[in-house]
Amino acid sequence: MAFLEFKNVKIAGFSAAVPQEKVLPKSRSADYSDADYRKSVGVEETRIDEKFTTSDLCFLAAEKLIADLEWDKSDIDAIIFVSQYPDYILPATSPILQDRLGLSQECYAADISLGCSGWVYGLSLVAGLLSSGGLKKALLMVGDARRAQNENPNDPLFGYAGAVTAVEYKKGERGFCFHHGSDGSGYEAIIVYDGGARNPFTRESLDVKVCDDGVMRNRLQGFMNGMDVFAFAITTAPKSIKKLAEKHHINLDDIDYLVLHQANKQINNKIAKKLNFEPERVAESLTYFGNTSSASIPLSIVAGLKGKIENQPTKFICCGFGVGLSWGTVYFETNDIVISDLVEVE
Amino acid sequence: MEKFIQLFADLFDETDSSLFTAKTKFKELDEWSSLTALSTIAMVDEEYDVTFKGDDIRNASTIEDLYNTVKSKV
């Protein structure tokens, strides 16, 4: 059982950056209208601007949060960058961000290749790095600025975002409780087939074909088996949350906010309903930012909870689930945190 | 079976309930779409605690086929 607990560590703040450019999702199918599509997936608009990479957005969000926290850059001991859209195949993006942010060369920097579950995985890694007190301050930088996922430019379920979570060592803090899981048998449920070592890029990678779901794509664009992912999400996420709650005797009625990966409205409503969370106790960013992959949980906190929770004890359950297949749930409490204004970049 | 047909029919807003029988080829209904497919997966999870794969829906033709798949997984 992949349960983890790290004490003496707390979240200091959250920030997120998105492009200013708004895109209105349009239906990809003749079966339903644009309005029906938006209503059903729950995405009214997203932010997409191909000028930016994930690391650009994370860099801007990090600068904002460091300034708002009044952290001295030389005190930042570690950065973890979680993305499936890094700047290069190699090198890793985190050392580039270390340099771009002007952090010390005595900085632990590593990339993690995970998507929708990535914030929770990244948080457990950061919490583990800090909890013994060897490293004191860390930035968890997450997001996916995905290039077009198919040949229809009006099909943006996915939005661009980069989010930063500042985490610090503090003796006596209760810290974080995690549950993690993986099921690689579902690796094809969400996949970009070509461009890696298994199927290297060739000219044929660019051939546009009709996929099983009727959508035109080349092999560098992401394919998703929507029905399998839906079934996975509505069953696995609630189970993971219940397991964590049971393990640590957490009463879900006492949780102030449930923050789920923002997959689509039907999935999120289903999970919240199964766990008896009323809409007031659920933070969301899907409506105006779409599915932002690993950034979706911290973006929901920035976009949905700023001004509401900073100075009062707040109990969270957050759950990320998706591509891998991979999932993770975390329980933590915040108090005296900074939530930066959303950074919107031109 | 009757209960399953009723639950399935409830997923549709605009289709006349008389059109739903065990032999109904549900993919031929005007209102059937990838979105009703997701609702079907959710209904089966909620009512029967059964997890459908996409293929379970792809390989089914009639409502009875769906019901038999549910039964085989309960």
Side-chain angles (χ1 to χ4, degrees), chain B residues 1 4-5 8 12 15-33 36 40 57-66:
Chain B
M1 183 74 203
F4 183 82
I5 294 171
F8 187 77
F12 294 76
T15 309
D16 194 283
S17 59
S18 66
L19 291 175
F20 294 96
T21 70
K23 300 293 175 202
T24 299
K25 292 188 167 148
F26 57 92
K27 288 174 199 166
E28 293 174 6
L29 297 169
D30 284 347
E31 207 184 335
W32 176 257
S33 73
T36 28
T40 305
I57 291 188
R58 267 179 229 112
N59 297 337
S61 161
T62 63
I63 296 176
E64 187 172 20
D65 293 340
L66 288 176

Side-chain angles (χ1 to χ4, degrees), chain A residues 261-272:
Chain A
H261 165 59
Q262 304 287 293
N264 80 32
K265 192 173 75 173
Q266 289 199 41
I267 289 176
N268 291 24
N269 287 354
K270 201 92 216 163
I271 296 171

